[in-house]
Amino acid sequence: MKTAYVLMAHGSPDTQWQQPFQELEAHLKQRAEARVEMAYMELCDPLLEDTIANLDKEGFERIDILPLFFAVGRHLRKDVPAQIEAMSERHPGLSIQLMPPVGQHPAFTDALIRIIEEGISGQNVD
């Protein structure tokens, strides 16, 4: 089954906010063997719906959506499932799965511990 992974963030019209996500996508595309795309719930492009439509046109059969969220809140309980339901109706041959948010993966905690141990407190964040 031809599978793609969509990293989904909330979205913001602020281009400085978008930049780290664009860089993450570029790095992952260089390193991952699987197809990886970045998409946003709202407020900036590419929107989740557009990314799913493009992947469907390219013949993907399954899309796994990885929310770049720390935890499950209203968006992941209500908004995103509603988006997925609507997309599933528009793309009936496509299996769209919502994965748990990245913040719930044990490796995420390990990465945060490593960052803390490296001492991020001295970095200047604008």
Side-chain angles (χ1 to χ4, degrees):
M1 180 176 286
K2 193 173 176 184
T3 302
Y5 297 89
V6 175
L7 306 176
M8 183 198 66
H10 183 275
S12 170
D14 183 338
T15 56
Q16 286 184 319
W17 179 92
Q18 295 169 19
Q19 185 178 356
F21 293 101
Q22 293 164 348
E23 291 171 3
L24 174 64
E25 178 185 32
H27 288 297
L28 289 174
K29 284 184 173 187
Q30 290 175 355
R31 296 178 62 184
E33 292 181 23
R35 176 71 174 269
V36 177
E37 296 292 331
M38 188 73 225
Y40 304 96
M41 281 183 52
E42 59 186 2
L43 304 174
C44 62
D45 292 321
L47 290 173
L48 182 60
E49 290 85 353
D50 297 335
T51 300
I52 297 298
N54 290 335
L55 291 168
D56 187 28
K57 287 178 189 173
E58 291 182 35
F60 284 88
E61 301 162 298
R62 180 183 170 114
I63 309 294
D64 288 340
I65 300 171
L66 175 61
L68 299 181
F69 289 58
F70 282 166
V72 175
R74 181 181 57 86
H75 284 316
L76 294 183
R77 279 193 313 270
K78 296 182 179 185
D79 301 333
V80 177
Q83 286 178 292
I84 290 173
E85 184 177 338
M87 289 183 290
S88 293
E89 289 175 10
R90 284 193 297 273
H91 307 281
L94 191 58
S95 173
I96 306 170
Q97 305 297 319
L98 180 62
M99 300 169 70
V102 70
Q104 291 183 351
H105 194 285
F108 185 80
T109 302
D110 293 341
L112 285 177
I113 289 169
R114 194 171 73 246
I115 291 167
I116 291 166
E117 289 171 349
E118 290 174 4
I120 63 169
S121 60
Q123 290 186 345
N124 183 15
V125 178
D126 293 320

